[in-house]
Amino acid sequence: MNSYDVAVIGSGPGGYVAAIRCAQLGMKTAIIEKYSTLGGTCLNVGCIPSKALLSSSHHYEEATKHFEEHGIEIPGEIKVNLEKMIARKQAVVDQTTGGIDFLMKKNNIDVYEGLGSFIDATHIKIEGKDAGEIEAKNIIIATGSKPSNLPFINLDKERIITSTEALKLKEVPSHLMIIGGGVIGLELGQVYRRLGAEVTVIEYMDRIIPTMDAGLSKELNKVFKKAKCNMMVSHKVKSVERKGDEVVIKAENKKGEVIEFKGDYCLVSVGRRPYTDGLNAEAAGVKLNDRGQVEVNEHLQTNVSNIYAIGDVVRGAMLAHKAEEEGVFVAETLAGQKPHIDYNLIPGVVYTWPEVAAVGKTEEELKEAGTEYKVGQFPFRALGRARASGDIDGFVKILADKTTDEVLGVHMIGARCADLIAEAVTAMEFRASAEDISRYSHAHPTFAEAVKEAALAATEDRALHV
Ligand code: FAD
Ligand code: NAD
């Protein structure tokens, strides 16, 4: 039987990064993955394929709606070849997952293909291509998550689908109805809206992206409405039924009226659940909590001292970069180091266009905590760079402590915000004040100038360009 210092179960961004860091730190490492490709949800059916389709559909929208204003004329009709678009997405996925194979080899990590299940706290059974048993001193559970569902919905995966199927549709829906106005619903909703589908978003809460700052929800809602999406907030879905090629949704609004929606596809995007099916965690004595998450302490250690858990299968944001941080954290803990993660500084991004990005506290959270704060906001439309490219929607908002001026939260919606948020994370990591940000130089003309201007506005209400 092969023996290891560490065995990692699951090869998503949590698991494969943990394995690499363990190997870098000199531990003999194995990784077990039930699918034939590495990379988990993120690389196979999550972050990467969704961003590939967002990019392709964005190009299409630019070509059909904006090229002309830039003086670019395309003779003849511009058409979508969905099959080719999906094939390109798959090629991007294959290249990326192939990159993980390379990294495993480079770091001398043994890869086992098959379902990993606990025999006891130091032994794992593998069922599948590389069937057998291995032994490990330490085990990291990185088994990720799967789409959640509502109890009364029968996900047939043809017309009533999850994100996984929505990433490989064979036709552009006539009417895509989306249950859940969160990240997945909005990203994939935008893809298919751009490609020509009618899109209806049915959200239970009173605003889309309800966990983000309300200012961002409002602005993004405007963008979707401008694109003629039907935005049905405060609607509670009561039933979803397939009738031939049609799907009928009944939802109740705030007044208690039942509204009926009919379309050819229904995407259910109401969150994801931690995934431990088949893991046999009980054989090792590993406790799950009542939400099905593997329970961990502040060191990401389970109740069994040599078993750790990371990523979507434990508490916290279900984000690839959070899983990665946790993978590194556990590897370094096992090597005797004292790593640290500041969960308040894990940024959140929605890759719609305009992009939405945030880090730190929202205004709602600061109010609830009774923290006195000041706000500096700057609109992209006042930036030369935004006007030059024609991306004038959105703003940057900086929330700073009223007394100390320390930046407590940064919330932005606009072009390239997914990348701009890194500046806010860096500043907050070093506990910058709004004035600090306002005093260092930002290249001109850039979108990043909006961050400087918002900081000036927060410092002394002295933005220069509004
Ligand atoms: P996962 O990536 O889920 O990987 C877990 C792996 O474990 C899987 O490969 C699974 O097959 C394997 N596994 C499970 N059980 C076993 C077992 N018993 N034996 C062997 N193998 C097992 N996050 C972002 O940060 N940015 C984004 O842009 C983004 N976009 C997303 C888009 C979509 C459509 C979706 C669905 C998710 C997106 N996410 C995004 C979320 C992101 O994918 C997850 O947060 C991330 O993948 C979690 O990583 P993980 O390593 O914890 O688990
Ligand atoms: P989510 O939590 O972002 O959104 C789910 C939405 O569904 C929420 O707005 C919620 O209020 C709503 N909802 C819940 N029950 C409902 C009901 N009965 N009727 C109507 N609406 C209902 O979840 P998601 O969009 O499914 O994404 C799952 C996870 O994947 C998220 O945690 C997210 O972090 C991750 N993800 C991240 C990215 C990214 O980082 N860009 C992209 C996609 C997914």
Side-chain angles (χ1 to χ4, degrees), residues 307-328:
I307 302 177
Y308 293 75
I310 58 173
D312 281 10
V313 81
V314 303
R315 80 283 181 273
M318 287 184 164
L319 296 172
H321 43 286
K322 178 257 192 189
E324 289 186 32
E325 294 301 331
E326 291 184 336
V328 170

Side-chain angles (χ1 to χ4, degrees), residues 137-287:
K137 284 189 208 129
N138 295 292
I139 295 173
I140 303 174
I141 302 172
T143 50
S145 63
K146 290 280 177 202
S148 296
N149 191 13
L150 300 176
F152 50 85
I153 299 180
N154 173 26
L155 282 170
D156 65 21
K157 302 202 174 174
E158 285 174 9
R159 297 273 164 186
I160 306 173
I161 59 177
T162 70
S163 54
T164 303
E165 295 75 47
L167 292 167
K168 52 181 183 196
L169 288 183
K170 294 205 163 32
E171 59 180 356
V172 174
S174 304
H175 182 193
L176 176 63
M177 302 174 296
I178 299 172
I179 306 181
V183 208
I184 291 182
L186 298 175
E187 288 185 357
L188 293 175
Q190 194 170 61
V191 166
Y192 286 105
R193 178 69 198 122
R194 286 168 176 163
L195 300 183
E198 181 187 348
V199 168
T200 298
V201 177
I202 307 169
E203 166 59 48
Y204 173 71
M205 303 293 278
D206 61 0
R207 60 186 175 97
I208 57 167
I209 46 168
T211 54
M212 297 188 91
D213 190 277
L216 299 180
S217 301
K218 198 171 156 198
E219 190 72 12
L220 190 62
N221 202 56
K222 266 197 241 164
V223 170
F224 272 71
K225 278 195 154 166
K226 203 165 135 194
K228 298 197 165 44
C229 293
N230 314 307
M231 306 304 285
M232 314 303 293
V233 295
S234 301
H235 277 67
K236 187 175 181 186
V237 173
K238 294 291 215 182
S239 70
V240 178
E241 262 185 79
R242 179 168 171 183
K243 292 182 179 161
D245 283 348
E246 191 176 65
V247 182
V248 181
I249 300 178
K250 286 188 181 143
E252 197 177 279
N253 68 14
K254 267 208 269 195
K255 294 180 200 152
E257 297 158 343
V258 175
I259 321 277
E260 199 174 82
F261 302 91
K262 286 182 181 169
D264 51 348
Y265 287 88
C266 167
L267 167 64
V268 181
S269 50
V270 293
R272 293 177 60 86
R273 65 171 179 92
Y275 184 72
T276 53
D277 299 7
L279 183 65
N280 203 20
E282 49 292 356
V286 171
K287 262 197 220 153

